[in-house]
Amino acid sequence: MSAGGPQTMDVVCDGQGITLRDILIGEVWPCSGQSNMEWPLDKSMHDSTSLDEAYDTKLRLFLVEKADLDAGPQDVKGRWVISDASTAAAISAVGYYFGRELRN
């Protein structure tokens, strides 16, 4: 598929078919690091302006559930969401501004 979207994809596994909708094709930029990367957007200097402008159907966020590293290797648990005031509030401010800049 070419970059862009939203796309639709039909998938068949073990004779069962499902249709995936609202798929965007493009770059994925993981943002991780020290505690400064965890600083949420709603606590950043420009939070009210940023949250008011956070709705963007082509900017998707992957919200990762925290895990106990002492428990050993685990699968990542999370979900993709469309960027809006409620979903962007708790994500990395650095990650959000970086993604918004790439979209612009």
Side-chain angles (χ1 to χ4, degrees), residues 39-51:
W39 190 261
L41 182 60
D42 66 353
K43 302 255 189 293
S44 71
M45 291 186 333
H46 307 289
D47 66 318
S48 60
T49 303
S50 297
L51 290 175

Side-chain angles (χ1 to χ4, degrees), residues 2 6 9 12 19 26 28 36 38-39 43 48 51 54-55 60 79-80 82 84 86-87 90 93 96 101:
S2 59
M9 180 188 312
V12 177
T19 300
V28 174
N36 59 338
E38 198 172 355
W39 190 261
K43 302 255 189 293
S48 60
L51 290 175
Y55 182 72
R60 304 295 170 91
R79 61 191 169 95
W80 287 101
I82 292 173
D84 65 25
S86 65
T87 58
Y96 170 78
E101 193 65 28

Side-chain angles (χ1 to χ4, degrees), residues 29-42:
W29 289 79
C31 298
S32 66
Q34 300 296 324
S35 59
N36 59 338
M37 283 298 292
E38 198 172 355
W39 190 261
L41 182 60
D42 66 353

